[in-house]
PDB file of all heavy atoms in Angstrom:
ATOM      1  N   ARG T  67      -5.239   2.022  -8.545  1.00  0.00           N
ATOM      2  CA  ARG T  67      -5.356   1.889  -9.994  1.00  0.00           C
ATOM      3  C   ARG T  67      -4.207   2.598 -10.704  1.00  0.00           C
ATOM      4  O   ARG T  67      -3.658   2.091 -11.687  1.00  0.00           O
ATOM      5  CB  ARG T  67      -6.705   2.438 -10.465  1.00  0.00           C
ATOM      6  CG  ARG T  67      -6.958   2.241 -11.952  1.00  0.00           C
ATOM      7  CD  ARG T  67      -6.918   0.780 -12.322  1.00  0.00           C
ATOM      8  NE  ARG T  67      -7.126   0.575 -13.760  1.00  0.00           N
ATOM      9  CZ  ARG T  67      -6.655  -0.460 -14.436  1.00  0.00           C
ATOM     10  NH1 ARG T  67      -5.927  -1.381 -13.823  1.00  0.00           N
ATOM     11  NH2 ARG T  67      -6.886  -0.587 -15.717  1.00  0.00           N
ATOM     12  N   VAL T  68      -3.834   3.770 -10.226  1.00  0.00           N
ATOM     13  CA  VAL T  68      -2.695   4.495 -10.802  1.00  0.00           C
ATOM     14  C   VAL T  68      -1.411   3.691 -10.620  1.00  0.00           C
ATOM     15  O   VAL T  68      -0.593   3.572 -11.541  1.00  0.00           O
ATOM     16  CB  VAL T  68      -2.552   5.889 -10.158  1.00  0.00           C
ATOM     17  CG1 VAL T  68      -1.247   6.552 -10.595  1.00  0.00           C
ATOM     18  CG2 VAL T  68      -3.741   6.774 -10.528  1.00  0.00           C
ATOM     19  N   PHE T  69      -1.248   3.113  -9.436  1.00  0.00           N
ATOM     20  CA  PHE T  69      -0.091   2.270  -9.146  1.00  0.00           C
ATOM     21  C   PHE T  69      -0.054   1.076 -10.098  1.00  0.00           C
ATOM     22  O   PHE T  69       0.996   0.751 -10.673  1.00  0.00           O
ATOM     23  CB  PHE T  69      -0.160   1.795  -7.696  1.00  0.00           C
ATOM     24  CG  PHE T  69       0.936   0.846  -7.294  1.00  0.00           C
ATOM     25  CD1 PHE T  69       2.177   1.315  -6.904  1.00  0.00           C
ATOM     26  CD2 PHE T  69       0.713  -0.525  -7.296  1.00  0.00           C
ATOM     27  CE1 PHE T  69       3.184   0.440  -6.526  1.00  0.00           C
ATOM     28  CE2 PHE T  69       1.711  -1.406  -6.927  1.00  0.00           C
ATOM     29  CZ  PHE T  69       2.952  -0.930  -6.540  1.00  0.00           C
ATOM     30  N   ASP T  70      -1.206   0.429 -10.282  1.00  0.00           N
ATOM     31  CA  ASP T  70      -1.294  -0.738 -11.160  1.00  0.00           C
ATOM     32  C   ASP T  70      -0.947  -0.383 -12.601  1.00  0.00           C
ATOM     33  O   ASP T  70      -0.164  -1.071 -13.261  1.00  0.00           O
ATOM     34  CB  ASP T  70      -2.700  -1.345 -11.109  1.00  0.00           C
ATOM     35  CG  ASP T  70      -2.963  -2.130  -9.845  1.00  0.00           C
ATOM     36  OD1 ASP T  70      -1.985  -2.504  -9.163  1.00  0.00           O
ATOM     37  OD2 ASP T  70      -4.138  -2.379  -9.535  1.00  0.00           O
ATOM     38  N   LEU T  71      -1.560   0.680 -13.102  1.00  0.00           N
ATOM     39  CA  LEU T  71      -1.327   1.077 -14.487  1.00  0.00           C
ATOM     40  C   LEU T  71       0.124   1.473 -14.717  1.00  0.00           C
ATOM     41  O   LEU T  71       0.718   1.115 -15.746  1.00  0.00           O
ATOM     42  CB  LEU T  71      -2.248   2.242 -14.865  1.00  0.00           C
ATOM     43  CG  LEU T  71      -3.726   1.900 -15.051  1.00  0.00           C
ATOM     44  CD1 LEU T  71      -4.543   3.173 -15.257  1.00  0.00           C
ATOM     45  CD2 LEU T  71      -3.921   0.966 -16.245  1.00  0.00           C
ATOM     46  N   SER T  72       0.688   2.189 -13.771  1.00  0.00           N
ATOM     47  CA  SER T  72       2.080   2.644 -13.914  1.00  0.00           C
ATOM     48  C   SER T  72       3.044   1.467 -13.901  1.00  0.00           C
ATOM     49  O   SER T  72       3.892   1.327 -14.798  1.00  0.00           O
ATOM     50  CB  SER T  72       2.432   3.629 -12.793  1.00  0.00           C
ATOM     51  OG  SER T  72       1.582   4.754 -12.811  1.00  0.00           O
ATOM     52  N   LEU T  73       2.915   0.596 -12.895  1.00  0.00           N
ATOM     53  CA  LEU T  73       3.844  -0.514 -12.759  1.00  0.00           C
ATOM     54  C   LEU T  73       3.658  -1.535 -13.875  1.00  0.00           C
ATOM     55  O   LEU T  73       4.638  -2.043 -14.439  1.00  0.00           O
ATOM     56  CB  LEU T  73       3.657  -1.186 -11.398  1.00  0.00           C
ATOM     57  CG  LEU T  73       4.662  -2.284 -11.031  1.00  0.00           C
ATOM     58  CD1 LEU T  73       6.087  -1.761 -11.131  1.00  0.00           C
ATOM     59  CD2 LEU T  73       4.385  -2.804  -9.619  1.00  0.00           C
ATOM     60  N   ALA T  74       2.408  -1.835 -14.234  1.00  0.00           N
ATOM     61  CA  ALA T  74       2.151  -2.803 -15.300  1.00  0.00           C
ATOM     62  C   ALA T  74       2.687  -2.292 -16.636  1.00  0.00           C
ATOM     63  O   ALA T  74       3.263  -3.065 -17.425  1.00  0.00           O
ATOM     64  CB  ALA T  74       0.652  -3.086 -15.406  1.00  0.00           C
ATOM     65  N   SER T  75       2.530  -1.011 -16.913  1.00  0.00           N
ATOM     66  CA  SER T  75       3.025  -0.441 -18.167  1.00  0.00           C
ATOM     67  C   SER T  75       4.542  -0.498 -18.240  1.00  0.00           C
ATOM     68  O   SER T  75       5.118  -0.860 -19.281  1.00  0.00           O
ATOM     69  CB  SER T  75       2.555   1.017 -18.308  1.00  0.00           C
ATOM     70  OG  SER T  75       1.145   1.097 -18.344  1.00  0.00           O
ATOM     71  N   ILE T  76       5.192  -0.155 -17.140  1.00  0.00           N
ATOM     72  CA  ILE T  76       6.660  -0.184 -17.101  1.00  0.00           C
ATOM     73  C   ILE T  76       7.177  -1.607 -17.287  1.00  0.00           C
ATOM     74  O   ILE T  76       8.091  -1.864 -18.091  1.00  0.00           O
ATOM     75  CB  ILE T  76       7.170   0.409 -15.772  1.00  0.00           C
ATOM     76  CG1 ILE T  76       6.887   1.911 -15.715  1.00  0.00           C
ATOM     77  CG2 ILE T  76       8.673   0.151 -15.606  1.00  0.00           C
ATOM     78  CD1 ILE T  76       7.153   2.533 -14.361  1.00  0.00           C
ATOM     79  N   LEU T  77       6.586  -2.562 -16.553  1.00  0.00           N
ATOM     80  CA  LEU T  77       7.027  -3.959 -16.654  1.00  0.00           C
ATOM     81  C   LEU T  77       6.739  -4.538 -18.037  1.00  0.00           C
ATOM     82  O   LEU T  77       7.536  -5.321 -18.564  1.00  0.00           O
ATOM     83  CB  LEU T  77       6.348  -4.798 -15.573  1.00  0.00           C
ATOM     84  CG  LEU T  77       6.813  -4.559 -14.142  1.00  0.00           C
ATOM     85  CD1 LEU T  77       5.997  -5.394 -13.161  1.00  0.00           C
ATOM     86  CD2 LEU T  77       8.294  -4.886 -13.998  1.00  0.00           C
ATOM     87  N   PHE T  78       5.608  -4.155 -18.614  1.00  0.00           N
ATOM     88  CA  PHE T  78       5.267  -4.646 -19.957  1.00  0.00           C
ATOM     89  C   PHE T  78       6.323  -4.203 -20.969  1.00  0.00           C
ATOM     90  O   PHE T  78       6.810  -5.010 -21.775  1.00  0.00           O
ATOM     91  CB  PHE T  78       3.892  -4.123 -20.361  1.00  0.00           C
ATOM     92  CG  PHE T  78       3.419  -4.635 -21.697  1.00  0.00           C
ATOM     93  CD1 PHE T  78       2.846  -5.885 -21.807  1.00  0.00           C
ATOM     94  CD2 PHE T  78       3.572  -3.864 -22.841  1.00  0.00           C
ATOM     95  CE1 PHE T  78       2.420  -6.373 -23.039  1.00  0.00           C
ATOM     96  CE2 PHE T  78       3.149  -4.329 -24.073  1.00  0.00           C
ATOM     97  CZ  PHE T  78       2.574  -5.596 -24.175  1.00  0.00           C
ATOM     98  N   VAL T  79       6.709  -2.929 -20.926  1.00  0.00           N
ATOM     99  CA  VAL T  79       7.708  -2.399 -21.865  1.00  0.00           C
ATOM    100  C   VAL T  79       9.077  -3.036 -21.620  1.00  0.00           C
ATOM    101  O   VAL T  79       9.773  -3.431 -22.566  1.00  0.00           O
ATOM    102  CB  VAL T  79       7.799  -0.864 -21.747  1.00  0.00           C
ATOM    103  CG1 VAL T  79       8.972  -0.334 -22.575  1.00  0.00           C
ATOM    104  CG2 VAL T  79       6.500  -0.216 -22.199  1.00  0.00           C
ATOM    105  N   LEU T  80       9.466  -3.164 -20.351  1.00  0.00           N
ATOM    106  CA  LEU T  80      10.785  -3.699 -20.017  1.00  0.00           C
ATOM    107  C   LEU T  80      10.929  -5.179 -20.367  1.00  0.00           C
ATOM    108  O   LEU T  80      12.012  -5.644 -20.761  1.00  0.00           O
ATOM    109  CB  LEU T  80      11.086  -3.492 -18.532  1.00  0.00           C
ATOM    110  CG  LEU T  80      11.299  -2.050 -18.073  1.00  0.00           C
ATOM    111  CD1 LEU T  80      11.535  -2.005 -16.565  1.00  0.00           C
ATOM    112  CD2 LEU T  80      12.483  -1.417 -18.806  1.00  0.00           C
ATOM    113  N   THR T  81       9.836  -5.925 -20.199  1.00  0.00           N
ATOM    114  CA  THR T  81       9.919  -7.377 -20.426  1.00  0.00           C
ATOM    115  C   THR T  81       9.506  -7.792 -21.833  1.00  0.00           C
ATOM    116  O   THR T  81       9.695  -8.957 -22.208  1.00  0.00           O
ATOM    117  CB  THR T  81       9.018  -8.135 -19.422  1.00  0.00           C
ATOM    118  OG1 THR T  81       7.639  -7.756 -19.621  1.00  0.00           O
ATOM    119  CG2 THR T  81       9.442  -7.840 -17.994  1.00  0.00           C
ATOM    120  N   LEU T  82       8.976  -6.865 -22.613  1.00  0.00           N
ATOM    121  CA  LEU T  82       8.477  -7.215 -23.953  1.00  0.00           C
ATOM    122  C   LEU T  82       9.528  -7.921 -24.819  1.00  0.00           C
ATOM    123  O   LEU T  82       9.177  -8.854 -25.561  1.00  0.00           O
ATOM    124  CB  LEU T  82       7.948  -5.968 -24.655  1.00  0.00           C
ATOM    125  CG  LEU T  82       7.096  -6.211 -25.914  1.00  0.00           C
ATOM    126  CD1 LEU T  82       5.906  -7.114 -25.586  1.00  0.00           C
ATOM    127  CD2 LEU T  82       6.620  -4.886 -26.508  1.00  0.00           C
ATOM    128  N   PRO T  83      10.821  -7.537 -24.768  1.00  0.00           N
ATOM    129  CA  PRO T  83      11.821  -8.262 -25.565  1.00  0.00           C
ATOM    130  C   PRO T  83      11.931  -9.744 -25.200  1.00  0.00           C
ATOM    131  O   PRO T  83      12.378 -10.552 -26.027  1.00  0.00           O
ATOM    132  CB  PRO T  83      13.126  -7.515 -25.247  1.00  0.00           C
ATOM    133  CG  PRO T  83      12.699  -6.137 -24.872  1.00  0.00           C
ATOM    134  CD  PRO T  83      11.404  -6.341 -24.125  1.00  0.00           C
ATOM    135  N   LEU T  84      11.537 -10.120 -23.980  1.00  0.00           N
ATOM    136  CA  LEU T  84      11.604 -11.519 -23.564  1.00  0.00           C
ATOM    137  C   LEU T  84      10.458 -12.353 -24.115  1.00  0.00           C
ATOM    138  O   LEU T  84      10.590 -13.578 -24.241  1.00  0.00           O
ATOM    139  CB  LEU T  84      11.586 -11.616 -22.028  1.00  0.00           C
ATOM    140  CG  LEU T  84      12.759 -10.997 -21.263  1.00  0.00           C
ATOM    141  CD1 LEU T  84      12.495 -11.110 -19.766  1.00  0.00           C
ATOM    142  CD2 LEU T  84      14.054 -11.688 -21.632  1.00  0.00           C
ATOM    143  N   TRP T  85       9.356 -11.721 -24.437  1.00  0.00           N
ATOM    144  CA  TRP T  85       8.158 -12.448 -24.831  1.00  0.00           C
ATOM    145  C   TRP T  85       8.379 -13.339 -26.054  1.00  0.00           C
ATOM    146  O   TRP T  85       8.010 -14.524 -26.021  1.00  0.00           O
ATOM    147  CB  TRP T  85       7.000 -11.479 -25.073  1.00  0.00           C
ATOM    148  CG  TRP T  85       6.440 -10.871 -23.817  1.00  0.00           C
ATOM    149  CD1 TRP T  85       7.153 -10.351 -22.774  1.00  0.00           C
ATOM    150  CD2 TRP T  85       5.060 -10.711 -23.471  1.00  0.00           C
ATOM    151  NE1 TRP T  85       6.313  -9.860 -21.808  1.00  0.00           N
ATOM    152  CE2 TRP T  85       5.028 -10.073 -22.203  1.00  0.00           C
ATOM    153  CE3 TRP T  85       3.876 -11.029 -24.100  1.00  0.00           C
ATOM    154  CZ2 TRP T  85       3.847  -9.770 -21.558  1.00  0.00           C
ATOM    155  CZ3 TRP T  85       2.681 -10.719 -23.467  1.00  0.00           C
ATOM    156  CH2 TRP T  85       2.658 -10.097 -22.207  1.00  0.00           C
ATOM    157  N   PRO T  86       9.004 -12.848 -27.148  1.00  0.00           N
ATOM    158  CA  PRO T  86       9.226 -13.731 -28.305  1.00  0.00           C
ATOM    159  C   PRO T  86      10.111 -14.923 -27.963  1.00  0.00           C
ATOM    160  O   PRO T  86       9.890 -16.032 -28.473  1.00  0.00           O
ATOM    161  CB  PRO T  86       9.915 -12.810 -29.326  1.00  0.00           C
ATOM    162  CG  PRO T  86       9.525 -11.429 -28.920  1.00  0.00           C
ATOM    163  CD  PRO T  86       9.441 -11.472 -27.430  1.00  0.00           C
ATOM    164  N   LEU T  87      11.114 -14.724 -27.095  1.00  0.00           N
ATOM    165  CA  LEU T  87      12.006 -15.814 -26.706  1.00  0.00           C
ATOM    166  C   LEU T  87      11.258 -16.868 -25.897  1.00  0.00           C
ATOM    167  O   LEU T  87      11.440 -18.072 -26.102  1.00  0.00           O
ATOM    168  CB  LEU T  87      13.183 -15.253 -25.899  1.00  0.00           C
ATOM    169  CG  LEU T  87      14.074 -14.227 -26.608  1.00  0.00           C
ATOM    170  CD1 LEU T  87      15.147 -13.706 -25.651  1.00  0.00           C
ATOM    171  CD2 LEU T  87      14.711 -14.843 -27.847  1.00  0.00           C
ATOM    172  N   ILE T  88      10.426 -16.402 -24.959  1.00  0.00           N
ATOM    173  CA  ILE T  88       9.630 -17.324 -24.151  1.00  0.00           C
ATOM    174  C   ILE T  88       8.651 -18.097 -25.029  1.00  0.00           C
ATOM    175  O   ILE T  88       8.501 -19.324 -24.907  1.00  0.00           O
ATOM    176  CB  ILE T  88       8.874 -16.555 -23.049  1.00  0.00           C
ATOM    177  CG1 ILE T  88       9.856 -15.939 -22.045  1.00  0.00           C
ATOM    178  CG2 ILE T  88       7.890 -17.481 -22.325  1.00  0.00           C
ATOM    179  CD1 ILE T  88       9.203 -15.013 -21.041  1.00  0.00           C
ATOM    180  N   MET T  89       7.998 -17.406 -25.927  1.00  0.00           N
ATOM    181  CA  MET T  89       7.025 -18.031 -26.810  1.00  0.00           C
ATOM    182  C   MET T  89       7.676 -19.072 -27.716  1.00  0.00           C
ATOM    183  O   MET T  89       7.137 -20.158 -27.932  1.00  0.00           O
ATOM    184  CB  MET T  89       6.318 -16.950 -27.646  1.00  0.00           C
ATOM    185  CG  MET T  89       5.477 -16.000 -26.812  1.00  0.00           C
ATOM    186  SD  MET T  89       4.923 -14.510 -27.692  1.00  0.00           S
ATOM    187  CE  MET T  89       3.654 -15.213 -28.728  1.00  0.00           C
ATOM    188  N   LEU T  90       8.884 -18.754 -28.222  1.00  0.00           N
ATOM    189  CA  LEU T  90       9.614 -19.700 -29.073  1.00  0.00           C
ATOM    190  C   LEU T  90      10.018 -20.940 -28.279  1.00  0.00           C
ATOM    191  O   LEU T  90       9.887 -22.073 -28.763  1.00  0.00           O
ATOM    192  CB  LEU T  90      10.844 -19.021 -29.670  1.00  0.00           C
ATOM    193  CG  LEU T  90      11.716 -19.884 -30.603  1.00  0.00           C
ATOM    194  CD1 LEU T  90      10.902 -20.325 -31.806  1.00  0.00           C
ATOM    195  CD2 LEU T  90      12.954 -19.111 -31.026  1.00  0.00           C
ATOM    196  N   ALA T  91      10.495 -20.736 -27.040  1.00  0.00           N
ATOM    197  CA  ALA T  91      10.914 -21.861 -26.191  1.00  0.00           C
ATOM    198  C   ALA T  91       9.740 -22.788 -25.893  1.00  0.00           C
ATOM    199  O   ALA T  91       9.876 -24.014 -25.921  1.00  0.00           O
ATOM    200  CB  ALA T  91      11.521 -21.331 -24.896  1.00  0.00           C
ATOM    201  N   ILE T  92       8.579 -22.203 -25.611  1.00  0.00           N
ATOM    202  CA  ILE T  92       7.388 -23.010 -25.333  1.00  0.00           C
ATOM    203  C   ILE T  92       6.986 -23.801 -26.572  1.00  0.00           C
ATOM    204  O   ILE T  92       6.674 -24.998 -26.501  1.00  0.00           O
ATOM    205  CB  ILE T  92       6.217 -22.109 -24.880  1.00  0.00           C
ATOM    206  CG1 ILE T  92       6.542 -21.464 -23.530  1.00  0.00           C
ATOM    207  CG2 ILE T  92       4.923 -22.914 -24.775  1.00  0.00           C
ATOM    208  CD1 ILE T  92       5.541 -20.409 -23.104  1.00  0.00           C
ATOM    209  N   LYS T  93       6.998 -23.138 -27.716  1.00  0.00           N
ATOM    210  CA  LYS T  93       6.563 -23.767 -28.965  1.00  0.00           C
ATOM    211  C   LYS T  93       7.484 -24.918 -29.359  1.00  0.00           C
ATOM    212  O   LYS T  93       7.032 -25.971 -29.834  1.00  0.00           O
ATOM    213  CB  LYS T  93       6.530 -22.720 -30.078  1.00  0.00           C
ATOM    214  CG  LYS T  93       5.626 -23.084 -31.252  1.00  0.00           C
ATOM    215  CD  LYS T  93       4.167 -23.116 -30.795  1.00  0.00           C
ATOM    216  CE  LYS T  93       3.236 -23.452 -31.955  1.00  0.00           C
ATOM    217  NZ  LYS T  93       1.834 -23.579 -31.501  1.00  0.00           N
ATOM    218  N   LEU T  94       8.785 -24.748 -29.146  1.00  0.00           N
ATOM    219  CA  LEU T  94       9.747 -25.777 -29.539  1.00  0.00           C
ATOM    220  C   LEU T  94       9.793 -26.945 -28.562  1.00  0.00           C
ATOM    221  O   LEU T  94      10.190 -28.052 -28.930  1.00  0.00           O
ATOM    222  CB  LEU T  94      11.150 -25.160 -29.662  1.00  0.00           C
ATOM    223  CG  LEU T  94      11.352 -24.152 -30.803  1.00  0.00           C
ATOM    224  CD1 LEU T  94      12.757 -23.566 -30.729  1.00  0.00           C
ATOM    225  CD2 LEU T  94      11.106 -24.811 -32.154  1.00  0.00           C
TER     226      LEU T  94
END
């Protein structure tokens, strides 16, 4: 659980800038 929370939190923060771009591409 510690491994999951740590890795998921890090990946969420690192990839968050990509989310709006991905969402826009899907929508268009």
Side-chain angles (χ1 to χ4, degrees):
R67 184 59 181 153
V68 171
F69 176 83
D70 285 342
L71 287 173
S72 301
L73 186 55
S75 298
I76 292 171
L77 289 176
F78 183 81
V79 172
L80 291 178
T81 62
L82 194 57
L84 296 176
W85 288 45
L87 300 177
I88 294 172
M89 295 167 74
L90 181 61
I92 294 172
K93 202 66 179 176
L94 293 176

